[in-house]
Amino acid sequence: MSARKKERSRRGRREESDDDGSSSMSSLNDNASSGGGDDDVVQDATLEEKVELLTEKRATIREHALKDLIAAMRMSLQGPLINSKLETLITSLMNSIKKGQAYEAGMACQALSLVFITLGAESEAVYAMVEPQLAILAKDHRVPATRAAIIKALSMVCLIGCPEDEKAAEIISLFESFFEDTPSDVTVSALNGWGLLSTLKPVSDLAFGVAYSMLPTFKTLLENEDADVRAAAGENVALLYDASWQEESADEAEDLAEILNHLQELAADNSRYMARRDRKEQRLTFREFQRTVESGEVPEIVIKIGSEQLELNSWSQIKQYEALTDILESGMPFHLAQNLLLRDMFDLGEVQSGPIEKMTTAQKKAFLSESAEVAKARDLHRTKNRKHRARIPSSHESDI
C-alpha cells in the first residue's frame, strides 16, 4: 500500500472515531506501529489514553502506561478517571495479572490496590468482579513472585472492598493454607495478608478464639529458616498478644513460655549466616515483639501531617499503616490528608481545607527509606525504653 493510501486509511479511521478521545488513541497506536519509541507513545498520552494503552499488544507499552497510572494514583485522587474508565481499567489490569510477565503483573497488582484505595467505600462492586479471580490465581499461579503480589493485592482489596465478614474469613483461611509447603515469598505475603485482614476482627475474637487456634502455627513458623517468614510470623504473634493484653487474657494463652523463649532467642541471635545488618534488624524487631508478648507494650507513634497528627498505638493500626504505605509510598501523606478512606480508617475526621504541603526530595527519600516514620518511631521507642524501665510511653514526631 502506498504512503498516500496509508494516510487516507488512517484519516478515515480517525473520522469514524467517536469524540470521546478514541481519535487520539488511534494516533498513538499509529506512532507505535510505525516504529516510534514506546516511551514516547506513553509520555504523550493523557491519563485517559494511558488506560486505553493497557490493552496494547506490546508489553513495554502496557508497562510504561501502568507505571504512569500508578504514579498518578499515588499522588492525586483519580476517582473521576477510574469511574469513567472502570470496565476497561479493571479488565486490563486482570489480564496483565493473569498473562503478564512478573514485572507487569506486579505493577498491575499495585495498580489494582490503588484503584481500591481511591474508590474506598464505592469499591464493593469492583470487589465482586475481581475477588473470585484473584483467589484462584493466588492458589494456582505458577510464578512465586507474581503469586506473592496477587496475595498482597487480594489482602488490600479485601480490607477495603469486602462487604461481608464471612467472606473476609474465607480469604483469611485461604491465606492460612499457604503457610506451609509454599515458596518463602508466598508464605511471607500470606502471613502479612493474614495479619492485615485480622485487623478487621474484633479485639475479643483475636484475643480468644483466633489466638488459641493460630499461636501454635506461628510458633512453628518462628523456627523457619527464612528470616522474612520469621519476622512476619512474629508480627502476627505480637498482634494477637496485643489483643490478649487488651482483653486481660494474655496469661491464659497456650504455649506462652515456649513462644517467649523463641522470641528471646531471635532477639539475641548472633548467627553468622546472616549479614550483620540483617542480624541487627532481626534483634531489634524481635525485642519489640517480645515486649508486647511479655507486657502488652506497643510502640506509641505520632506522625505529623501538616497541622494534624496521626497516632498509632496498636499493632492493628501499625499493620494497616504499613500496608498502605507499602502501596502508596511517597503518596501516603497526600492520601492521609485528602482520602476519606484513610481518614476514616485512622479516625482523622473530615478532610481539612487549605493547601497541601508537598514533600521535599529529602523528605521523600526519608519516607521511603528503612528509617521511614514507623521505623524511626520504633527505634526511638526502643532507645527510650532501655533508658526508662518505668515503661513511660514514647513517641516520635516527624514532619511529612
Side-chain angles (χ1 to χ4, degrees):
M1 183 183 292
S2 68
R4 183 174 298 176
K5 287 183 178 179
K6 286 183 179 178
E7 177 58 27
R8 189 180 300 128
S9 176
R10 290 195 191 103
R11 191 180 298 117
R13 288 198 303 271
R14 286 198 290 271
E15 288 172 354
E16 292 171 1
S17 299
D18 296 329
D19 294 330
D20 61 357
S22 58
S23 61
S24 298
M25 285 306 305
S26 177
S27 177
L28 287 167
N29 291 338
D30 288 343
N31 288 339
S33 63
S34 62
D38 295 345
D39 230 345
D40 295 336
V41 171
V42 179
Q43 188 174 3
D44 293 339
T46 65
L47 285 176
E48 289 81 2
E49 291 166 349
K50 286 171 184 176
V51 173
E52 298 293 340
L53 286 174
L54 297 178
T55 65
E56 279 286 325
K57 291 183 179 180
R58 193 176 302 180
T60 51
I61 291 181
R62 297 196 303 269
E63 290 168 2
H64 285 306
L66 278 169
K67 182 178 179 182
D68 288 354
L69 287 168
I70 287 169
M73 287 190 285
R74 280 174 174 160
M75 301 309 297
S76 58
L77 293 174
Q78 294 292 333
L81 167 67
I82 291 171
N83 284 315
S84 67
K85 296 285 186 179
L86 187 60
E87 185 175 353
T88 300
L89 180 58
I90 298 302
T91 300
S92 300
L93 291 178
M94 292 308 302
N95 283 337
S96 289
I97 292 171
K98 293 174 185 176
K99 303 174 184 179
Q101 297 296 316
Y103 179 65
E104 179 186 350
M107 284 200 298
C109 286
Q110 290 183 43
L112 184 62
S113 295
L114 286 163
V115 167
F116 275 77
I117 291 170
T118 303
L119 293 179
E122 300 176 3
S123 62
E124 287 187 12
V126 185
Y127 179 82
M129 294 167 56
V130 303
E131 183 274 330
Q133 299 177 67
L134 290 174
I136 292 172
L137 291 168
K139 290 185 287 187
D140 298 338
H141 205 287
R142 296 181 179 181
V143 180
T146 301
R147 190 178 171 195
I150 291 167
I151 292 169
K152 178 179 172 182
L154 178 56
S155 64
M156 182 58 66
V157 304
C158 186
L159 177 77
I160 297 169
C162 185
E164 301 173 359
D165 293 342
E166 293 80 4
K167 193 62 182 179
E170 290 179 15
I171 302 300
I172 290 175
S173 296
L174 175 65
F175 290 165
E176 290 171 5
S177 70
F178 304 149
F179 289 171
E180 296 179 357
D181 301 323
T182 58
S184 59
D185 49 354
V186 173
T187 304
V188 171
S189 190
L191 284 166
N192 288 333
W194 186 96
L196 181 63
L197 295 186
S198 291
T199 66
L200 297 173
K201 292 179 175 289
V203 170
S204 58
D205 288 358
L206 292 178
F208 296 102
V210 178
Y212 289 121
S213 64
M214 294 307 300
L215 281 173
T217 298
F218 295 142
K219 180 188 69 173
T220 300
L221 289 169
L222 288 174
E223 303 174 11
N224 193 280
E225 61 182 11
D226 187 274
D228 291 334
V229 171
R230 295 195 297 269
E235 190 167 40
N236 286 342
V237 168
L239 173 71
L240 294 178
Y241 269 95
D242 180 19
S244 296
W245 278 102
Q246 291 181 51
E247 293 293 313
E248 299 181 353
S249 63
D251 293 337
E252 302 172 13
E254 296 181 8
D255 303 319
L256 174 59
E258 202 167 344
I259 287 173
L260 266 178
N261 183 57
H262 282 310
L263 294 176
Q264 289 166 352
E265 289 177 354
L266 291 166
D269 188 9
N270 285 312
S271 302
R272 296 195 176 185
Y273 68 87
M274 295 176 65
R276 182 177 179 180
R277 183 175 180 177
D278 292 340
R279 288 200 305 270
K280 180 180 179 181
E281 182 179 345
Q282 175 175 287
R283 289 197 297 270
L284 292 174
T285 298
F286 281 94
R287 285 171 192 164
E288 189 172 85
F289 300 157
Q290 179 185 340
R291 283 195 295 270
T292 299
V293 173
E294 284 180 328
S295 61
E297 183 179 346
V298 178
E300 293 188 8
I301 301 165
V302 179
I303 301 168
K304 282 191 174 181
I305 314 159
S307 60
E308 302 178 276
Q309 65 180 28
L310 168 63
E311 297 183 6
L312 307 175
N313 50 30
S314 72
W315 277 108
S316 287
Q317 288 182 322
I318 290 172
K319 285 193 74 69
Q320 290 177 351
Y321 181 88
E322 288 179 338
L324 287 163
T325 301
D326 192 37
I327 299 296
L328 290 167
E329 296 188 354
S330 60
M332 184 68 169
F334 171 85
H335 281 266
L336 283 171
Q338 296 294 309
N339 189 321
L340 285 174
L341 170 73
L342 272 67
R343 296 188 69 80
D344 287 344
M345 190 177 292
F346 296 111
D347 296 321
L348 289 169
E350 295 297 321
V351 173
Q352 301 295 308
S353 60
I356 303 170
E357 296 181 9
K358 292 185 178 181
M359 288 195 297
T360 65
T361 300
Q363 287 173 323
K364 286 182 181 180
K365 288 181 179 179
F367 194 87
L368 296 173
S369 71
E370 291 185 357
S371 58
E373 301 305 325
V374 172
K376 287 181 186 175
R378 292 184 186 180
D379 288 344
L380 181 59
H381 179 78
R382 296 181 187 112
T383 301
K384 287 187 175 183
N385 194 60
R386 284 194 291 269
K387 292 179 180 178
H388 304 286
R389 295 299 181 181
R391 291 184 61 230
I392 301 174
S394 64
S395 64
H396 175 62
E397 297 186 4
S398 177
D399 292 332
I400 295 181

